[in-house]
Amino acid sequence: MKLLLISANRERDPYPVFPIGLSFLVTPLTQAGHDLTVLDLCFEKEPEAAVSGLLAEHKPQAVVISLRNLDNVTWPESRSYLSGVTNLITICQTHAPVIIGGSGFSLMPLEILAATGADYGVVGEGEEILPRLLSYLEQGLDVSGLPGVVHGGATTFVPSLPVSGVGTPERSLFKVGHYHQEGGMANVQTKRGCPFFCTYCTYPLLEGRAVRLRPIPDILAEIRSLVDDHGVSYLYFVDDIFNYPPAFAADLCRAMVAERLPVKWSAFINPDFMTPELMDDMLAAGCDAVEFGSDSGSPAMLKSLHKSFTVEDLRRASLLCHERGMDFAHYLLFGGPGETRETIMESFSLMDELQPTAVIAMTGIRIYPNTVLYRTALHDGLITPSTQLLEPVFYISPHVKDFFADLITSEAMKRRNWVAPGLEVNTSSAMLDAIRLFKVKGPLWKMIKSLGRSHHRPLGGC
């Protein structure tokens, strides 16, 4: 079949993100004999015109749309992407049936399929089931029994199955250099699956709890291709936790050293598994910054959010970074179940003690179905079973809702190294665009060291 693959993501804050999920589909679709055309809407000034043009030019027999996120997951300045995707689907359906998938779609597949009017949907990983769905469609077969496939009017579907082996993304149809130039880094995934139990997290829902590792030679070959074929000099490992399993992370780092790969990189780290030996391996392999998914500096909140580590683990991991000169950021989530003024101030106090390069503070926690946080929100009366979650809904503890934004803003403004995206503290779209003009490589939060003072754009201001 002639297929048009569309990456619907147009979000560029804080970085434009290469559509790695869609690139994983290229090889299995090509091997199944399909003729592919790719349209990435991230840098298109007129996306609907771009879609219409390719539909007329290539006349695809089916359109596959990848939905990475439903919204920007930021309170109170939230942006939903659903209406834009619905418009794209309407345009495409004048030419061919539309199949929608991606991590955003997989969170609420039946609801999104009904809201957007797409013809079919693929839940979870699509490398194996999407070629089967296309084969069924070509033969006119009933698709209702295919695992992970939903179709118009369906109220249930057979659960999706994880792929038997994680392959290698094929990037040749995409503008990799554009992302490296505009976003300062290229993304690499080394594994799928998350065995942890954070109350709000969707990774186990999307990828399962069993960790599936990619072969290290395949990862090295991918990085070598990014360097040699696309001029990439900085990587971001997009695994939910780079350093788990620790032995795999260490083996990968040592292999990168042996391969003499000329790249710098950063990754998301769990402090519970950070040892001096692993950090030395990471430094030797080119790591120059790490991001901790800390969530809170309060022992009570770490327990409430079902984190696997303690405040002492945060102290120990931060000290390792200081001792080795590693830039590091702590990501915090404020407002979860049980959050109070006292627990908020515990987080500020701990960050003052740890002195990271940056603190990224997210306010409110996005509620998704089938998570522990969803059940807590139901129990606490913040939502009901009929609450529509396609548009962003956030958990904000009843104990802090009356002063939440003001407290976070006022305290963050006292500290040069804090960034609060939803509250526009030390960040805004205009500020990020200005920083990108300097062609910064790596996380933009590293630039916070050069800020003379804290900046804040009041909500609703210019």
Side-chain angles (χ1 to χ4, degrees), residues 12-15 426-437 444:
R12 299 183 61 189
D13 289 347
Y15 321 99
N426 284 334
T427 187
S428 67
S429 294
M431 180 184 292
L432 294 172
D433 287 340
I435 292 175
R436 290 192 195 100
L437 293 176
L444 295 183

Side-chain angles (χ1 to χ4, degrees), residues 150-172:
V150 295
H151 57 87
T155 56
T156 61
F157 62 94
V158 179
S160 58
L161 300 174
V163 297
S164 55
V166 183
T168 298
E170 173 54 65
R171 304 175 194 252
S172 60

Side-chain angles (χ1 to χ4, degrees), residues 87-345:
N87 291 340
L88 291 179
I89 290 172
T90 301
I91 293 170
C92 293
Q93 284 177 322
T94 62
H95 292 74
V98 174
I99 303 167
I100 186 170
S103 56
F105 172 76
S106 298
L107 293 173
M108 289 178 267
L110 293 172
E111 295 87 344
I112 294 173
L113 197 74
T116 62
D119 299 286
Y120 305 94
V122 172
V123 183
E125 299 165 337
E127 291 98 316
E128 295 174 357
I129 194 59
L130 180 57
R132 287 186 64 192
L133 170 60
L134 292 168
S135 175
Y136 272 47
L137 294 178
E138 283 185 294
Q139 299 175 65
L141 301 177
D142 181 11
V143 304
S144 58
L146 289 175
V149 171
V150 295
H151 57 87
T155 56
T156 61
F157 62 94
V158 179
S160 58
L161 300 174
V163 297
S164 55
V166 183
T168 298
E170 173 54 65
R171 304 175 194 252
S172 60
L173 301 180
F174 301 85
K175 297 178 180 178
V176 179
H178 210 157
Y179 282 92
H180 190 242
Q181 179 181 358
E182 296 290 329
M185 48 191 165
N187 50 359
V188 174
Q189 185 178 35
T190 75
K191 66 180 79 74
R192 293 183 191 168
C194 180
F196 298 96
F197 293 89
C198 303
T199 60
Y200 54 84
C201 187
T202 58
Y203 270 105
L205 301 177
L206 296 171
E207 299 181 353
R209 294 200 179 277
V211 178
R212 290 162 291 147
L213 306 173
R214 288 181 60 197
I216 287 178
D218 290 0
I219 300 169
L220 298 179
E222 179 185 359
I223 297 173
R224 176 61 68 186
S225 175
L226 286 168
V227 173
D228 294 345
D229 301 335
H230 302 287
V232 168
S233 60
Y234 201 100
L235 305 175
Y236 185 82
F237 287 101
V238 297
D239 311 315
D240 58 327
I241 300 174
F242 174 80
N243 61 326
Y244 185 86
F248 175 78
D251 289 345
L252 174 59
C253 289
R254 293 166 188 164
M256 291 176 68
V257 172
E259 189 71 13
R260 299 181 183 274
L261 293 167
V263 291
K264 297 293 185 181
W265 55 274
S266 55
F268 214 68
I269 301 297
N270 184 318
D272 196 19
F273 304 99
M274 181 51 66
T275 64
E277 295 77 15
L278 179 55
M279 181 162 283
D280 289 341
D281 286 334
M282 292 168 62
L283 282 163
C287 181
D288 69 355
V290 293
E291 302 177 347
F292 293 107
S294 310
D295 288 3
S296 179
S298 163
M301 289 307 298
L302 291 179
K303 184 176 181 180
S304 171
L305 297 172
H306 295 184
K307 302 305 289 185
S308 67
F309 48 81
T310 66
V311 167
E312 285 306 312
D313 293 322
L314 295 174
R315 287 193 172 101
R316 176 182 51 78
S318 297
L319 180 60
L320 279 176
C321 293
H322 281 300
E323 290 175 343
R324 285 157 172 75
M326 176 83 79
D327 283 329
F328 67 106
H330 284 287
Y331 277 74
L332 302 182
L333 296 177
F334 284 109
E339 189 85 272
T340 64
R341 182 186 294 271
E342 290 71 26
T343 60
I344 288 174
M345 294 311 300

